[in-house]
Amino acid sequence: MTSTVPASLTRTAEGAALQAVFLDMDGTLVDTEGFWWDVEVEVFAGLGHRLDEAWREVVVGGPMSRSTGYLIEATGADITLEEAAVLLNDRFEKRIGNGVPLMPGAARLLAELRHHKIPTALVSASHRRIIDRVLDSVGHHHFALTVAGDEVTRTKPHPEPYLTAARGFGADPRLCAVIEDTATGVAAAEAAGCRVVAVPSVSPIAPAEGRVVVGSLEEVNLTFLRSLIN
C-alpha cells in the first residue's frame, strides 16, 4: 500500500457525511478489462491452449491468483501459478506501455474529487507494478492512497482491500463510497460495509440495497456520491 495522506487531507473529512471515495482500476477507471483477457488468451495460446470465451466472465475482476489458477486448471497448462503471473504481468505491462484509455467520465470525476479535496483511494486486485504503470498515465496525484492486490493478505472479493483503504484515511467504511465494475469487487466493497456504485463492464450487476447501478461514470459526480450516505 502506498499513501500520501497528510493530516490536513484526513481532517477535511471530519464532520462530513461522505468521508472518502474508493475506485477500482481495471474496467472502472481505465478501459483495460479487455486488455487483460487479450493477454490471457495470448499467454495461454503460447502454452498451446485456447481459452473458452465463456471463461472470461469467470475470471473478470478477480485477483490474479484466482483467475490465473482457474485458467491453469481449466486448460491443464503445464505451468505454475507464479510462472504464469510473471508472463501475464510482463505482457500486460508491455501492452499499456503507451498509455491506457480512461473510461468515459473518469477524468472529470477525478478532477472534481481532487478539486473538493475528497480523500480518494485506488483499490485494485492488480499488482503494484501494474498499478504504478497505469497511474503514470492517469496521474498519481489523483490518489492520496493506493492499495494493490499483492499488498494485502486477502484480496477481492474479501473486504480486506477496502477496509485497508478506510483505515488508511481513518474513515468509517460505512461513510465511504466505492465505485466498482465487477461482482467480485462489489462483493468486497459491500462486505467492508461501504456504499457501492456499480458500473458493469463485462457482466451485468443487479441493483440491491446499499448498491446503485449506473451505465457509466458520466452519471456519477460528487453530489451523487454524497447522496448515497444517509
Side-chain angles (χ1 to χ4, degrees):
M1 180 178 73
T2 63
S3 176
T4 57
V5 187
S8 59
L9 179 58
T10 305
R11 282 198 300 270
T12 62
E14 291 183 1
L18 176 66
Q19 292 188 346
V21 174
F22 307 143
L23 293 99
D24 173 54
M25 187 174 75
D26 296 297
T28 300
L29 179 64
V30 291
D31 191 6
T32 50
E33 287 291 12
F35 287 10
W36 276 114
W37 178 247
D38 290 345
V39 163
E40 288 161 345
V41 168
E42 291 168 7
V43 166
F44 278 87
L47 298 171
H49 299 277
R50 181 178 180 181
L51 300 189
D52 189 318
E53 184 69 24
W55 297 342
R56 182 176 183 180
E57 291 195 16
V58 179
V59 302
V60 66
M64 182 168 286
S65 58
R66 191 197 75 185
S67 58
T68 306
Y70 174 86
L71 293 176
I72 291 173
E73 182 176 354
T75 60
D78 184 18
I79 191 171
T80 67
L81 180 61
E82 292 75 17
E83 291 168 339
V86 170
L87 291 176
L88 289 165
N89 276 325
D90 284 349
R91 193 170 291 249
F92 185 80
E93 194 168 359
K94 183 177 180 180
R95 174 69 68 92
I96 64 174
N98 294 323
V100 293
L102 283 169
M103 298 297 285
R108 187 263 314 148
L109 178 60
L110 290 175
E112 183 180 12
L113 294 173
R114 181 172 172 78
H115 175 75
H116 289 279
K117 297 182 173 61
I118 303 299
T120 303
L122 184 70
V123 182
S124 174
S126 289
H127 290 186
R128 168 57 54 193
R129 60 180 285 197
I130 300 300
I131 287 179
D132 286 345
R133 178 56 66 89
V134 169
L135 289 182
D136 286 344
S137 295
V138 175
H140 294 261
H141 62 283
H142 289 297
F143 301 97
L145 184 151
T146 60
V147 180
D150 57 341
E151 295 174 338
V152 291
T153 304
R154 295 159 295 187
T155 189
K156 304 172 187 180
H158 195 276
E160 182 180 345
Y162 284 112
L163 293 174
T164 299
R167 187 165 56 249
F169 282 140
D172 182 341
R174 296 170 297 178
L175 300 179
C176 298
V178 170
I179 306 176
E180 274 278 1
D181 72 303
T182 67
T184 298
V186 167
E190 291 181 341
C194 303
R195 293 289 182 171
V196 178
V197 179
V199 192
S201 59
V202 175
S203 302
I205 299 173
E209 184 176 354
R211 177 198 313 165
V212 178
V213 180
V214 298
S216 81
L217 292 181
E218 293 180 319
E219 300 177 42
V220 181
N221 57 28
L222 182 53
T223 299
F224 176 84
L225 293 172
R226 282 174 168 158
S227 74
L228 302 178
I229 310 299
N230 48 44

